[in-house]
Amino acid sequence: MEKQLKNDFEKIIKTSSFSKKDIDIKENYLNKFIKTGFPSRKFEDWKFSDINQIIKKNIGELDFYNDYSSPNKIDPSIFIEGMEHNKIVFINGRIEKIEFNYENENSIEILDQQQLKNYLNHENSLISLNSAFTNKYYKIVIKENYALKKPLIIYHITTEDLNNKNINSRLDFLLEENSSLKLIDISNDLSKKNFINILNNFELKKDSILKNYKIDKKEN
């Protein structure tokens, strides 16, 4: 797996516009993941969920490189009907839409291509994997004293033609003081034999409120 990881990492670097600093940080994350590997029973926090064995048994060899150069077509039927909501749409790990049509545009800030931070002191190897291979991510800032009028739904969609892939996606959220967000994550995985690694980071300031609901259309 180490050879596959390094080869796929090189492909991502060649097709990206990362700074030298970001490439160095990503490479450090990659090396940390190679050292620890997927979580297994040897780690106390994963003794009931051996991700390493699950991948070997149900997926097999993973391809860690994804080409994000071309947009994916959004099928409008994926959207929940009869419910006004804001949208963020991921298709096969690529962000295709960010839409806050029901909100005051001056009260929400969307920051593109945040500088990658170095959090190498963590113990979760899936964070290392995500940080090494995530191509692009956004930071959503909810400004002070603002409560979203409508919920934000994040659609995580994978298509049927995706197979034996590792998909990594990430969003950062900052809720400034006395702000409020209702967030719904909806997963609709139409693919087979893929490992989807989603990292959402939340920073909540004083008196801010976050309500986060998760729905997997295959499970519930």
Side-chain angles (χ1 to χ4, degrees):
M1 185 177 70
E2 180 177 345
K3 184 177 179 180
Q4 179 77 37
L5 281 162
K6 289 184 175 180
N7 287 340
D8 290 344
F9 182 79
E10 289 300 320
K11 292 178 186 177
I12 287 176
I13 297 306
K14 288 179 181 178
T15 57
S16 70
S17 57
F18 296 123
S19 68
K20 175 64 166 59
K21 181 180 178 181
D22 279 353
I23 291 173
D24 290 342
I25 293 175
K26 281 181 166 292
E27 192 166 17
N28 286 335
Y29 277 118
L30 175 68
N31 290 332
K32 184 167 185 178
F33 178 76
I34 289 173
K35 182 178 179 180
T36 57
F38 284 107
S40 64
R41 287 194 177 94
K42 67 181 181 180
F43 301 105
E44 178 66 22
D45 291 343
W46 296 92
K47 62 182 180 180
F48 299 115
S49 302
D50 193 326
I51 301 298
N52 190 46
Q53 285 301 315
I54 291 171
I55 290 173
K56 286 182 178 179
K57 180 179 178 180
N58 298 317
I59 300 176
E61 293 296 323
L62 282 174
D63 183 355
F64 297 89
Y65 172 70
N66 299 292
D67 184 2
Y68 294 111
S69 59
S70 300
N72 298 290
K73 184 177 180 181
I74 298 176
D75 180 358
S77 67
I78 68 172
F79 299 135
I80 293 179
E81 295 183 359
M83 177 182 177
E84 294 180 338
H85 60 280
N86 306 291
K87 304 176 182 71
I88 297 179
V89 180
F90 285 91
I91 300 180
N92 295 342
R94 187 182 191 274
I95 293 182
E96 302 295 348
K97 181 189 286 287
I98 299 180
E99 186 178 277
F100 286 89
N101 290 347
Y102 297 97
E103 308 303 330
N104 181 346
E105 63 179 17
N106 295 321
S107 296
I108 297 175
E109 188 174 8
I110 302 170
L111 303 177
D112 185 2
Q113 293 180 316
Q114 288 292 292
Q115 185 178 34
L116 190 64
K117 294 183 179 179
N118 195 337
Y119 294 127
L120 286 171
N121 59 341
H122 66 80
E123 297 300 327
N124 189 335
S125 65
L126 297 183
I127 294 177
S128 295
L129 177 66
N130 188 285
S131 299
F133 284 98
T134 299
N135 182 62
K136 182 178 183 180
Y137 74 97
Y138 291 84
K139 184 174 185 177
I140 312 297
V141 180
I142 312 300
K143 297 294 186 65
E144 186 174 345
N145 297 320
Y146 186 73
L148 267 70
K149 300 179 179 69
K150 303 295 180 180
L152 169 61
I153 296 183
I154 304 177
Y155 294 90
H156 298 278
I157 309 298
T158 55
T159 56
E160 294 178 345
D161 58 339
L162 196 73
N163 287 294
N164 297 93
K165 288 282 189 179
N166 168 226
I167 299 295
N168 296 282
S169 63
R170 172 176 174 172
L171 286 171
D172 285 0
F173 290 88
L174 169 60
L175 276 65
E176 295 185 348
E177 288 191 18
N178 198 38
S179 64
S180 177
L181 170 64
K182 291 180 180 178
L183 176 64
I184 303 172
D185 287 282
I186 293 183
S187 297
N188 190 6
D189 182 13
L190 303 177
S191 65
K192 296 179 180 178
K193 294 187 176 182
N194 297 293
F195 182 72
I196 302 169
N197 185 23
I198 299 170
L199 173 61
N200 290 338
N201 185 65
F202 299 96
E203 183 180 354
L204 278 66
K205 298 298 185 180
K206 182 180 179 181
D207 295 328
S208 61
I209 298 173
L210 170 68
K211 295 183 178 180
N212 190 191
Y213 307 89
K214 298 181 184 294
I215 300 173
D216 187 332
K217 295 191 75 173
K218 281 191 173 182
E219 301 295 334
N220 56 64

